[in-house]
Amino acid sequence: MLPIYLSLEGLYSYQKKQEVDFTQLTEGGLFGIFGAVGSGKSSILEAISFALYGETERLNKQEKRAYNMLNLKSDTAIIDFQFLNFEGKKFRFVAQWRRKKKFEETTSIERYAYVWKDNNWIPLESADGAKVTNLSYPNFRRTIIIPQGQFMEFLELKGKDRSDMMKEIFFLNQYDLGPKVSLLQSNNNKKLEHIKGALTGFEEVSNEIIIENKQALEDAKLFLEKVKLEFEKVEKQLYKLRIEKENKTDLDNKQLELETLEQQRPKVKLYEKEIQEFESVSLHFREPINSLHHITYNKEQLLIKIEKLKDNKQLLNHRITETEQQLESLKDDYEQLPSYKKKTDDYQLLIANAELEQSKIELENRVNRGSPIVLQTQQKEQNLIIRLQEEEHRLELAKNSRTPTQELMAIENWYQRYDQLQGQLSDIQDKLQQQEVEIAGYRSDLEKQNLSETNWREVLQGKITDISAQSNLLKEQENSILVKQELSQYVLRLHQGEPCPLCGSLDHPNPMHEENWTLEIDRLNGERVQLTTNEQELRDRYTKVSAITVLITDKLKGLESLKQNAQEISGLISIHNNGFIWQSFEQGNREAFEVKKNEVQQLESKILQQENDIKDIRKELQETQENRVKYEKSLDDLKNQIKIVEAKMAQHTQQLKVIEVSTYKGIEKSILIDQLRELEEKINRVEQQVTDWNDILIRAKTQFAETAGQYAEAHEQYVALNGQLQALQGTINSLLKEFQFGDITVVKAILDKNLDVVTLREKIQLFYVQHNTLSTRIVELKELTKDSSFSQKLFEDTEEIYQLKKEELELQFALTGALEKELTRLTIELDKKKNLLIDYEQLNNRKENLRLLDNMFKGNGFINYVSSIHLARLCEIANQRFHRLTKNQLSLCLNENNEFEVIDYLHDGYQRSVKTLSGGQSFQASLCLALALAENIQSLNKADRNFFFIDEGFGTQDAESINTVFDTLQYLHHENRVVGIISHVDELKERMPRSISVIKDLEKGSQINYN
């Protein structure tokens, strides 16, 4: 993982939003985050962990986490973290919550996750950081971001916890094949039992039975063919008789239909005559009559229009005269408008001068108020400079009286090392006593079972073998009873003179008697259940005793190791006692040393307080100087503004065109505004009235011209319509004479019928088509039935014979189908039986193979073996740096329990516990292991760059060790690795190529500054 960006707001001491651009920090390969204790350095790491996993080191869910993490001066907390994962994909995780109306209550914490895709943030379904980093939260803390106080956790982890961590980081669960093998065994055994049960249902299936069924099927098929031929012959006779019957019935029906149709002929003839008359009149008279009606109507409407247009002309002429009179009355005011507008401009200038006069008075008042403040600030600045000089002089005197602290630190380290060795010796002695008690308890458990550490395996294995033999004997008895039970079922089928279904014999001289085998089988089942229970109890006992003996062996080995460690630590205590070389102190008088140390600490506290006071004075002086400059600048700005106001007032006075300044001098601004408003309203009113009356005059003249044109056009149309009406009347009179109609009313009566010609023609056409069709069909049917010998009795007899033959054919079809179906079933069942026998043999072979695999993967032996290989590799990589950091004096190794120990080359290469390392050495070992873990994770994930963060840890290093550690960390940049550290030691800041500082402001909260 490589961080890109982090912003946090309202979290712990972070009140306002603060941002960290990691791209600037990670370029140098090594960077730091510095600040005083409690400034909020570690909160940066906690924000990253919480955004990714929703977990923190300080608080859990039951501790009102949302309320306690929220800054007391903030209402909202937001964490926004962006990074690249091992695949180079860009992700963003956001966590946010807010305070409710009641101060102690907060909303639930909401977490979201996004991936950068196609230049957009695409939401992810889950906000679990483990799915992106491939690390759980505990292992993320051990390998990527290592919180304060957790740096040495991996070094001191016990076997099971470290094994679980190795499983996750190196995906060792893929080697945990034991459960999978057990599942395969169980499934395989179930399949074997299933096949055994299935084979019992195929005892009646054989090749001989299939051959018999084939012969019976052939005979049935021959008889079916014979019956089928007879049925088809009768079916043809019946079909012929049915056709003759249908033709005779159809002839009678068609003759009746023809007679009915002939009765409709007069009505059809009447329809034909009416249609002919209606079509002739419509063709010649409909259009002229319609035109006559249309022209008459238009003439009447046009006459009405002419009268209306005449009235409109008179009305519009009167309106034009009135509008011209109104415009004449507005002429004088309209000509004065330019003069009125100039006067409004002068009014606006006078109002602006009144406003500027008021602004000038306010600015002069501000100048009068600000001048004393500037003088006070200047005096305060002089007082602070004098006070700062006095405090710096006092600090110089205190520093000159300081006592060197190197000797006191060395003595304190000696006492701490002495306490550490004594504590380790006490712990080992307690563990020795506890180990001896546990060994005695385990041996007592064996004695209660009449077993010992040497003979327990033979005794228990012998009892298990006896039970297995008894179980096999019961199995044989059960098989014998089951065979007899099966054979007894055939006794009921034996009849004298009929073949036996098993041997085929016709004689049955001594048949087996049917007996009730259920009670015997129940008895055997009860005995088998009891044996199984006894065997399981023995195996459980075997497992428990085996575990006890393994524990005794391990405890004995641990006992020897503890005794050896106790001797080593006693030797180290003796050597350490000889290292007390300070003559001014007594080794046993620690109280005198503590008194001296307290005096030095009090002096250092006093110096630190004086330095803080000086820092506060400098800060106050800087603020005072900034305020003085700001106040002086503000005063100058006010004076400049007064000059600008005076210049604008003079300019406005020169721009007056109509009004004399002396006339309006001293008049209030509100009066000027009222006079300006009245004049502007008069100007707007005159302009609007002139515009409105002009518009009315133009519209009236335009409407008058349009109305006159429409009147002339309508009069011309009226004359033209009169001529058309006379010509059309002459045409209609000529048509009446031509078709010999006495009056136009006769023609209108014919047209008013409004006959549906299409429908009537269809009815007429349908009549002739039906008549012709029936006549033709009757002729055909008479031809077909002239030689017919059909009789009803012959038809009924033939139909009865047909039904009998049909039933016989269906019965034979059913018999043949049943035989064919049975043969198919037997053939399929025989194939199934063969396949089951093949599957049974394969599963039986697989059973043996799975038994071998189960023995191989039993327990976690194989996983522990792979884990030990990874641990050994980690140890080897870590030693490449640890050996160098300790000047070739120490290296890491693994004991038989896969726990870390130290090889001490200054003491003939003996191994000892990592707990015997000093604080600085433990930090170095943990650093080397963290780097080794990072390398392995980088290799597994195929990441280009890897990153991890250390919170504190450098306080335990001396100057020379810090140099070595820093050389190691800086060398990581060449290996394309990024390391970040957090510390409150400001001296380390100079050694960092990139860093940021966290400063806690009392008002603004924690602030982040880039160095």
Side-chain angles (χ1 to χ4, degrees), residues 716-898:
E716 292 176 358
Q717 291 177 356
Y718 183 79
V719 174
L721 287 176
N722 275 331
Q724 293 176 8
L725 192 62
Q726 292 175 3
L728 190 59
Q729 188 67 46
T731 302
I732 292 173
N733 292 332
S734 299
L735 288 172
L736 289 173
K737 292 178 181 179
E738 181 181 351
F739 290 96
Q740 299 179 357
F741 288 112
D743 193 358
I744 191 67
T745 55
V746 178
V747 175
K748 289 183 178 180
I750 294 172
L751 291 175
D752 289 341
K753 291 181 179 180
N754 201 15
L755 297 178
D756 188 353
V757 177
V758 176
T759 302
L760 291 176
R761 287 193 180 281
E762 288 177 354
K763 288 181 179 180
I764 295 168
Q765 182 68 23
L766 179 62
F767 170 79
Y768 286 116
V769 169
Q770 290 178 346
H771 189 277
N772 292 335
T773 303
L774 286 173
S775 300
T776 304
R777 181 60 180 164
I778 289 170
V779 173
E780 292 176 353
L781 290 172
K782 286 181 178 179
E783 184 66 26
L784 289 172
T785 57
K786 68 179 180 178
D787 297 328
S788 173
S789 59
F790 173 81
S791 68
Q792 185 64 27
K793 186 176 184 310
L794 178 62
F795 176 78
E796 293 175 354
D797 293 342
T798 306
E799 195 173 39
E800 185 177 356
I801 295 171
Y802 169 80
Q803 290 295 333
L804 293 173
K805 289 296 180 181
K806 182 179 179 182
E807 292 175 359
E808 184 180 8
L809 180 63
E810 289 175 349
L811 178 62
Q812 193 60 35
F813 264 123
L815 292 173
T816 306
L819 289 171
E820 191 170 8
K821 184 177 181 181
E822 178 65 14
L823 179 61
T824 303
R825 185 189 70 79
L826 290 172
T827 304
I828 294 171
E829 294 294 312
L830 183 62
D831 292 338
K832 289 181 179 178
K833 183 177 181 180
K834 292 178 181 178
N835 292 331
L836 285 172
L837 291 171
I838 294 171
D839 292 342
Y840 181 81
E841 184 177 358
Q842 292 176 348
L843 290 171
N844 203 35
N845 294 334
R846 180 176 173 80
K847 180 180 179 181
E848 293 300 318
N849 295 333
L850 289 173
R851 186 179 61 80
L852 293 175
L853 289 174
D854 183 53
N855 293 333
M856 184 184 301
F857 293 107
K858 188 174 292 182
N860 287 327
F862 191 67
I863 291 180
N864 292 335
Y865 169 71
V866 178
S867 177
S868 65
I869 293 175
H870 282 287
L871 277 174
R873 176 60 180 161
L874 281 177
C875 196
E876 180 183 346
I877 297 172
N879 277 330
Q880 294 175 6
R881 296 186 177 94
F882 185 57
H883 200 53
R884 183 172 69 250
L885 287 174
T886 58
K887 300 178 182 178
N888 303 324
Q889 295 177 8
L890 302 173
S891 63
L892 296 170
C893 65
L894 294 168
N895 61 18
E896 63 274 8
N897 296 325
N898 276 341

Side-chain angles (χ1 to χ4, degrees), residues 1-5 22 26 31 45 48-49 51-53 81-91 93 129 132-135 140 143-146 934 937-938 941-949 976-979:
M1 184 189 78
L2 189 64
I4 300 175
Y5 168 82
F22 281 103
T26 57
F31 67 90
L45 299 192
I48 294 174
S49 300
L52 286 172
Y53 296 95
F81 178 54
Q82 301 175 21
F83 63 96
L84 299 174
N85 77 335
F86 61 91
E87 297 175 328
K89 293 182 179 179
K90 186 177 178 182
F91 292 90
F93 280 71
V132 176
T133 62
N134 273 352
L135 290 172
F140 180 79
T143 58
I144 302 295
I145 290 183
I146 306 173
I937 293 172
Q938 180 182 8
N941 292 334
K942 298 179 181 179
D944 294 333
R945 300 186 76 187
N946 203 9
F947 167 85
F948 69 94
F949 224 121
N976 211 18
R977 199 162 296 119
V978 179
V979 180

Side-chain angles (χ1 to χ4, degrees), residues 28 30 965-974 991-993:
L30 177 65
V965 170
F966 264 79
D967 290 341
T968 302
L969 296 178
Q970 287 180 338
Y971 183 72
L972 295 175
H973 181 50
H974 302 294
R991 310 193 64 168
M992 290 291 169

Side-chain angles (χ1 to χ4, degrees), residues 489-505:
Q489 297 178 6
Y490 292 95
V491 173
L492 299 175
R493 304 181 189 177
L494 294 179
H495 300 285
Q496 193 64 31
E498 294 182 1
C500 174
L502 295 177
C503 61
S505 175

Side-chain angles (χ1 to χ4, degrees), residues 461-690:
Q461 191 63 49
K463 292 182 179 180
I464 293 172
T465 304
D466 292 342
I467 290 176
S468 297
Q470 295 176 28
S471 179
N472 291 334
L473 182 60
L474 285 176
K475 184 66 175 177
E476 293 175 0
Q477 294 177 5
E478 184 180 3
N479 290 338
S480 176
I481 291 172
L482 289 173
V483 171
K484 290 179 181 180
Q485 187 179 16
E486 275 304 309
L487 292 174
S488 66
Q489 297 178 6
Y490 292 95
V491 173
L492 299 175
R493 304 181 189 177
L494 294 179
H495 300 285
Q496 193 64 31
E498 294 182 1
C500 174
L502 295 177
C503 61
S505 175
L506 299 175
D507 295 326
H508 319 296
N510 189 20
M512 183 177 67
H513 296 289
E514 182 182 9
E515 297 182 18
N516 187 3
W517 306 102
T518 306
L519 296 177
E520 188 66 22
I521 291 174
D522 291 343
R523 182 184 65 79
L524 292 176
N525 287 336
E527 292 180 6
R528 184 169 65 251
V529 170
Q530 185 60 43
L531 286 175
T532 303
T533 304
N534 295 340
E535 182 180 6
Q536 186 60 42
E537 290 176 354
L538 281 173
R539 292 190 181 278
D540 294 343
R541 187 178 171 193
Y542 184 95
T543 303
K544 292 178 181 178
V545 173
S546 175
I548 290 172
T549 56
V550 171
L551 287 172
I552 291 173
T553 303
D554 292 342
K555 295 293 181 182
L556 289 172
K557 290 181 181 178
L559 199 64
E560 292 299 322
S561 177
L562 288 172
K563 289 178 180 179
Q564 184 179 354
N565 289 342
Q567 293 175 359
E568 292 176 357
I569 292 174
S570 297
L572 291 173
I573 291 173
S574 177
I575 295 170
H576 188 67
N577 287 333
N578 296 331
F580 196 87
I581 57 174
W582 298 278
Q583 301 299 325
S584 57
F585 294 94
E586 295 181 9
Q587 179 178 336
N589 190 3
R590 190 166 183 176
E591 289 78 7
F593 164 73
E594 292 295 337
V595 171
K596 183 65 176 176
K597 186 178 75 171
N598 288 335
E599 292 176 355
V600 172
Q601 288 177 347
Q602 290 175 2
L603 180 60
E604 291 295 330
S605 299
K606 182 179 179 182
I607 291 173
L608 181 61
Q609 182 61 41
Q610 289 178 339
E611 288 176 343
N612 290 334
D613 292 342
I614 290 173
K615 189 182 295 184
D616 292 340
I617 293 171
R618 284 177 176 166
K619 182 178 179 181
E620 187 178 0
L621 176 60
Q622 183 180 358
E623 291 176 354
T624 303
Q625 290 173 339
E626 291 174 353
N627 289 336
R628 176 183 56 79
V629 173
K630 182 173 66 176
Y631 295 156
E632 290 175 349
K633 184 177 182 301
S634 298
L635 202 61
D636 292 338
D637 290 342
L638 290 173
K639 293 177 180 178
N640 290 331
Q641 290 178 23
I642 291 172
K643 294 179 181 179
I644 293 171
V645 168
E646 292 174 346
K648 285 184 178 180
M649 290 173 65
Q651 183 180 5
H652 289 167
T653 303
Q654 293 175 359
Q655 292 175 354
L656 294 175
K657 299 175 182 177
V658 179
I659 297 175
E660 292 292 335
V661 179
S662 58
T663 307
Y664 287 89
K665 190 172 183 180
I667 297 178
E668 294 181 0
K669 175 185 172 183
S670 59
I671 297 174
L672 292 173
I673 292 173
D674 291 340
Q675 292 178 355
L676 173 62
R677 187 180 296 113
E678 291 177 0
L679 185 58
E680 287 177 341
E681 289 175 355
K682 183 177 181 180
I683 293 171
N684 293 331
R685 185 173 62 255
V686 171
E687 288 180 340
Q688 186 63 42
Q689 288 176 349
V690 171

